[in-house]
């Protein structure tokens, strides 16, 4: 049994395990190679009746669990978008777990509420968001976007949907490139997926404002009610930046809530040279980005900002007798700013990261990743058998393999699918894919906290070598 008196002894063992893990991380396969149920079958069918020794638990952690882990902190992890961490954030998570606070209202931990309020102001000001925006930490951008759509729903129905149910004529608009969480949120909100209107994009993969306005007008003529537009600052497939000023003008004209989803690319707003991406944000109603993606803060930590906090609270406030306090109205009770009642002390790790890196350190790290991506993209562009499908942007590169003399698009797609499978099975590198204009495209994201130039050069070499192992791409 792990008694309190043994805390220092056992904590030392855990810290040593973590230190060993990071020391050997580069030697581990980036993507787990286990087969389905391989881990499950190694775990006893029944829990132990008696206490087990920590040494045995840690041994099983190493031998049973680690082989089934895909290592998101591995410097050769370039798939999806990062969920990166940092030593500073890890240390803060230890303290958060030790404190074990349930931070639903100010009274349950005043410091948690007030630290959250302040670090949200730090982020708001550093990113160039309007001074009248107020922020709250949600778990994920999916939850934050659901909060935005629910709030928009209540505003559009004069706050009757929570009471009477959701009318079936509300409409939500986004581009065809917008994240799948929008569709999920529209379904959960009761608006219904059939009322999600996906607007085509232009040659830069941005939502076409002219087509959006035409669709809104058409819906109004047909008795439908435009409720919310979701603009993307950095789509998942192409990191496209929707034309915010044009979209904001349309939303103002037709009285539609404008939510800005910058889940991944929002971190780049810490760099003044990228704040052009949110020109017009002062006319938006809500904004979200994930520090847990590219700001070196452990998952989960999502920053959600809203222009009118009163309508947010009105949409989510429920006040049972046991939550009534004398401090109410004088402080922020963040359980009224989102879906769950219970809340973790997420602000602590964000505070640790911002203070430990400093804004200068954060900006330096981001610019380093962007520079590495530029080098990677240049090497891809110069290689005779690779091509950039779209221009590189931030720390993201979309490219594909084009074997010599191969012009058939179906075969090219098959070649690239096999190439990706070959690379990921090797355990040396982990990439993901998307489709752009029907082309099967490999995605390279250079955002791991401790990635170095040598890792990028290694990725290029792995790519070149992997092409030799794909039979579809070579003549017999």
């Amino acid at each position: 049994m792990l008694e309190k008196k043994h805390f220092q002894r056992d904590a030392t063992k855990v810290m040593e395990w973590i230190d060993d893990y990071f020391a050997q991380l580069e030697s581990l396969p980036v993507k787990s190679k286990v087969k389905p149920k391989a881990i499950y079958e190694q775990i006893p069918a029944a829990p132990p009746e008696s206490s087990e020794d920590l040494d045995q638990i840690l041994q099983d952690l190493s031998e049973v669990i680690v082989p089934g882990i895909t290592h998101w902190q591995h410097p050769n992890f370039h798939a999806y978008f990062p969920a990166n961490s940092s030593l500073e954030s890890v240390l803060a998570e230890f303290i958060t777990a030790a404190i074990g606070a349930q931070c639903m209202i100010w009274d349950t931990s005043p410091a948690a509420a007030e630290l959250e309020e302040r670090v949200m102001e730090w982020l708001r000001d550093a990113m160039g968001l309007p001074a009248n925006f107020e922020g709250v930490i949600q778990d994920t951008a999916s939850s934050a976007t659901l909060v935005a759509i629910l709030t928009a729903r209540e505003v559009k129905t004069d706050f009757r949907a929570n009471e009477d149910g959701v009318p079936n004529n509300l409409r939500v608009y986004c581009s065809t490139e917008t994240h799948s969480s929008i569709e999920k949120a529209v379904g959960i909100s009761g608006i219904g997926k059939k009322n999600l209107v996906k607007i085509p994009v232009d040659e830069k993969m941005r939502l076409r404002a002219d087509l959006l306005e035409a669709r809104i007008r058409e819906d109004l003529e047909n008795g439908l009610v435009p409720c919310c537009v979701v603009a993307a600052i950095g789509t998942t497939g192409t990191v496209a930046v929707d034309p915010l000023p044009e979209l904001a003008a349309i939303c103002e004209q037709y009285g539609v809530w404008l939510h800005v989803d910058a889940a991944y690319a929002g971190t780049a707003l810490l760099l003044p040279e990228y704040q052009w991406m949110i020109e017009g944000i002062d006319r938006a109603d809500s904004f979200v980005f994930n520090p847990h993606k590219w700001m070196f803060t452990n998952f989960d930590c999502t920053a959600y900002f809203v222009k009118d906090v009163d309508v947010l609270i009105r949409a989510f406030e429920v006040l049972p007798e046991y939550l009534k306090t004398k401090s109410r109205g004088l402080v922020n009770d963040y359980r009224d700013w989102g879906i769950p009642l219970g809340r973790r002390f997420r602000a602590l790790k964000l505070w640790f990261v911002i203070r430990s890196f400093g804004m200068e350190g954060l900006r330096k790290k981001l610019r380093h990743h962007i520079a590495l991506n530029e080098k990677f993209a240049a090497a891809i562009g110069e290689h005779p058998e690779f091509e950039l499908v779209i221009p590189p942007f931030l720390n993201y590169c979309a490219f594909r393999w084009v074997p010599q003399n191969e012009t058939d698009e179906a075969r090219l797609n098959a070649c690239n699918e096999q190439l990706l499978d070959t690379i990921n099975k090797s355990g040396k590198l982990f990439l993901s894919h998307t489709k752009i204009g029907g082309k099967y495209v490999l995605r390279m994201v250079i955002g791991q906290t401790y990635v170095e130039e040598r890792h990028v050069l290694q990725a290029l070499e792995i790519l070149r070598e992997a092409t030799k192992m794909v039979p579809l791409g070579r003549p017999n």
Side-chain angles (χ1 to χ4, degrees):
M1 180 178 176
L2 305 182
E3 297 178 0
K4 183 178 177 180
K5 65 181 180 181
H6 293 147
F7 175 76
Q8 186 170 6
R9 178 199 68 190
D10 293 326
T12 299
K13 292 178 181 179
V14 172
M15 294 298 287
E16 288 174 349
W17 188 95
I18 293 172
D19 189 50
D20 290 341
Y21 171 75
F22 277 102
Q24 65 171 326
L25 190 53
E26 285 196 48
S27 68
L28 299 173
V30 189
K31 185 178 184 294
S32 173
K33 295 184 176 183
V34 301
K35 295 180 180 180
K37 290 291 185 177
I39 306 301
Y40 175 84
E41 290 171 357
Q42 294 181 73
I43 301 171
E49 289 293 334
S50 302
S51 172
E52 295 187 343
D53 185 77
L54 178 62
D55 290 334
Q56 182 60 53
I57 298 172
L58 291 176
Q59 182 179 338
D60 289 345
L61 172 63
S62 299
E63 296 177 358
V64 178
I65 304 302
V66 169
I69 296 293
T70 291
H71 302 286
W72 284 70
Q73 308 312 314
H74 199 297
N76 292 326
F77 184 104
H78 301 293
Y80 308 111
F81 285 132
N84 58 16
S85 180
S86 63
L87 294 177
E88 295 81 1
S89 182
V90 169
L91 294 174
E93 284 280 57
F94 282 131
I95 297 170
T96 299
I99 292 173
Q102 208 278 55
C103 307
M104 55 186 174
I105 58 177
W106 182 88
D107 282 67
T108 59
S109 274
E114 296 188 15
L115 181 62
E116 183 165 342
E117 182 177 5
R118 183 60 82 190
V119 295
M120 288 295 97
E121 292 172 352
W122 284 0
L123 285 178
R124 178 196 65 196
D125 297 343
M127 299 172 73
L129 296 174
N132 62 336
F133 274 37
E134 294 186 61
V136 59
I137 299 177
Q138 309 279 3
D139 54 1
T140 64
S142 297
S143 295
T145 294
L146 175 58
V147 166
I149 290 174
L150 289 170
T151 308
R153 183 196 74 185
E154 290 308 300
V155 170
K156 185 54 68 173
T157 62
D158 195 25
F159 297 89
R160 297 304 309 169
N162 274 339
E163 293 292 329
D164 302 334
V166 183
N168 63 3
N169 62 347
L170 299 179
R171 303 286 265 182
V172 175
Y173 309 84
C174 65
S175 86
T176 54
E177 294 294 310
T178 308
H179 194 267
S180 60
S181 62
I182 311 305
E183 184 173 350
K184 190 172 185 178
V186 172
I188 294 171
S189 70
I191 292 173
K193 293 181 181 180
K194 72 175 184 179
N195 287 315
L196 175 63
V197 182
K198 295 186 178 181
I199 305 297
V201 295
D202 62 16
E203 71 283 355
K204 294 184 179 180
M205 312 302 282
R206 305 174 304 177
L207 190 156
R208 285 186 54 180
D210 59 332
L211 296 182
L212 170 67
E213 183 172 15
R215 193 58 187 270
I216 288 175
R217 286 181 174 178
E218 179 185 339
D219 285 347
L220 286 169
E221 290 172 359
N222 291 324
L224 300 171
V225 180
C227 175
C228 179
V229 169
V230 180
I233 303 299
T235 57
T236 304
T238 64
V239 197
V241 177
D242 287 340
L244 198 54
E246 292 96 323
L247 301 181
I250 293 169
C251 289
E252 278 189 342
Q253 180 179 351
Y254 295 96
V256 180
W257 185 282
L258 177 57
H259 174 61
V260 179
D261 179 3
Y264 157 68
T267 298
L269 297 173
L270 295 176
L271 303 175
E273 61 266 33
Y274 284 99
Q275 290 182 2
W276 59 265
M277 296 191 297
I278 55 166
E279 180 184 351
I281 190 67
D282 57 308
R283 300 157 76 185
D285 295 287
S286 53
F287 171 89
V288 63
F289 93 102
N290 288 333
H292 69 230
K293 273 192 168 68
W294 194 21
M295 198 179 149
F296 324 117
T297 304
N298 280 66
F299 186 86
D300 53 1
C301 183
T302 289
Y304 177 64
F305 294 89
V306 65
K307 180 188 293 183
D308 188 344
V309 74
D310 290 335
V311 299
L312 172 66
I313 293 173
R314 187 176 173 188
F316 290 94
E317 180 182 47
V318 177
L319 187 59
E321 184 64 33
Y322 56 82
L323 290 178
K324 294 178 180 178
T325 63
K326 292 182 179 180
S327 63
R328 187 163 184 82
L330 303 175
V331 294
N332 289 339
D333 288 329
Y334 285 117
R335 59 100 182 180
D336 294 325
W337 293 43
I339 297 167
L341 171 62
R343 306 182 76 252
R344 296 182 63 238
F345 190 4
R346 295 185 181 93
L348 190 69
K349 58 188 173 187
L350 199 51
W351 186 57
F352 263 55
V353 168
I354 293 172
R355 292 190 63 188
S356 298
F357 279 88
M359 298 311 301
E360 181 181 356
L362 291 171
R363 288 190 287 264
K364 181 178 180 181
K365 183 78 77 171
L366 297 177
R367 289 182 178 124
H368 175 59
H369 290 170
I370 293 169
L372 289 179
N373 188 54
E374 290 171 352
K375 290 182 179 181
F376 177 84
I380 289 292
E382 293 168 1
H383 194 282
E385 288 197 342
F386 286 104
E387 70 173 13
L388 296 170
V389 178
I390 57 174
F393 182 56
L394 298 176
N395 60 342
Y396 172 85
C397 186
F399 65 100
R400 68 172 180 166
W401 176 37
V402 184
Q404 291 183 0
N405 303 319
E406 184 59 77
T407 58
D408 182 78
E409 287 296 330
R411 283 179 58 82
L412 285 172
N413 283 351
C415 286
N416 280 275
E417 186 173 1
Q418 284 198 20
L419 177 62
L420 181 66
D421 188 57
T422 299
I423 288 168
N424 289 344
K425 282 182 177 178
S426 75
K428 298 176 181 178
L429 183 67
F430 188 24
L431 304 179
S432 55
H433 82 283
T434 190
K435 281 193 174 180
I436 301 176
K439 298 176 180 179
Y440 190 101
V441 175
L442 277 61
R443 302 169 73 260
M444 175 79 171
V445 184
I446 304 173
Q448 209 286 326
T449 308
Y450 303 111
V451 67
E452 300 173 9
E453 184 174 2
R454 64 184 176 88
H455 299 116
V456 176
L457 297 176
Q458 182 182 3
L460 287 165
E461 183 59 30
I462 292 170
L463 277 166
R464 287 190 287 261
E465 289 299 313
T467 62
K468 301 175 184 177
M469 303 169 65
V470 179
L472 266 177
R474 300 296 173 199
N476 294 326

